[in-house]
Amino acid sequence: MIGIDNYLAVGSVKSAWISLYILSIVWGLLYMLRPLFDTSSEISDMEGGEKKSGGFLSRIGRAYDVIKDNLLMQFFALSINALGAASTKALSILSWIFFVLTIIYALAVMFIEQKMIRAIFGLIFFVLTLIMTSLAFKHGW
């Protein structure tokens, strides 16, 4: 087992955290855009006095929730690995897969309203999170 300082100096570990950082940027962007286009809230446009009309951009709130939930899951998995000074290369690869699938899922939620897609992606993210956290126990703690 390597020390935490040596673990954090590994490029693969930095790469895994970079995927989380980029996901947090996407989350922040959606956080800013959500009040402008999401019609599911009760916030009205002060100038027009009415809520914005529905459509593609009205689904930003759903994408925001997807990004937020997956950001927290990925943060949990990366934290467990960092605390245990565990896997590096495998975690980096899985983190980027998690990131790409999160973006695909957020876009799918914006375009398609289907419970089965949500269930399948939910299963995929659950399994990926289990694998990433299991690496901490296998290689670290």
Side-chain angles (χ1 to χ4, degrees), residues 12-50:
S12 298
V13 174
K14 290 178 184 178
S15 175
W17 283 95
I18 288 170
S19 71
L20 182 72
Y21 175 67
I22 294 171
L23 196 59
S24 71
I25 291 171
V26 173
W27 182 39
L29 290 172
L30 289 175
Y31 183 78
M32 290 185 307
L33 293 175
R34 184 177 59 157
L36 299 175
F37 300 106
D38 188 10
T39 59
S40 64
S41 69
E42 295 300 319
I43 300 172
S44 64
D45 185 5
M46 295 298 285
E47 294 175 7
E50 296 180 11

Side-chain angles (χ1 to χ4, degrees), residues 1-139:
M1 185 168 138
I2 61 175
I4 192 71
D5 293 331
N6 293 333
Y7 175 77
L8 294 175
V10 175
S12 298
V13 174
K14 290 178 184 178
S15 175
W17 283 95
I18 288 170
S19 71
L20 182 72
Y21 175 67
I22 294 171
L23 196 59
S24 71
I25 291 171
V26 173
W27 182 39
L29 290 172
L30 289 175
Y31 183 78
M32 290 185 307
L33 293 175
R34 184 177 59 157
L36 299 175
F37 300 106
D38 188 10
T39 59
S40 64
S41 69
E42 295 300 319
I43 300 172
S44 64
D45 185 5
M46 295 298 285
E47 294 175 7
E50 296 180 11
K51 291 175 19 175
K52 305 257 185 215
S53 62
F56 166 72
L57 292 177
S58 68
R59 298 181 187 152
I60 285 180
R62 293 181 196 152
Y64 170 82
D65 290 336
V66 165
I67 298 289
K68 177 183 68 173
D69 294 344
N70 285 3
L71 178 87
L72 295 174
M73 282 195 299
Q74 188 178 13
F75 178 71
F76 171 74
L78 292 178
S79 298
I80 292 291
N81 273 279
L83 292 173
S87 179
T88 57
K89 192 64 142 179
L91 181 68
S92 176
I93 293 168
L94 288 172
S95 292
W96 283 105
I97 290 171
F98 195 94
F99 170 79
V100 169
L101 288 176
T102 298
I103 299 300
I104 291 171
Y105 181 36
L107 291 173
V109 165
M110 288 177 74
F111 287 108
I112 305 167
E113 293 187 36
Q114 181 70 312
K115 289 182 182 180
M116 194 53 118
I117 290 174
R118 293 179 140 190
I120 290 170
F121 272 108
L123 176 65
I124 290 169
F125 291 122
F126 177 67
V127 169
L128 279 174
T129 304
L130 281 178
I131 292 170
M132 288 191 291
T133 53
S134 297
L135 288 172
F137 296 106
K138 181 179 179 187
H139 297 288

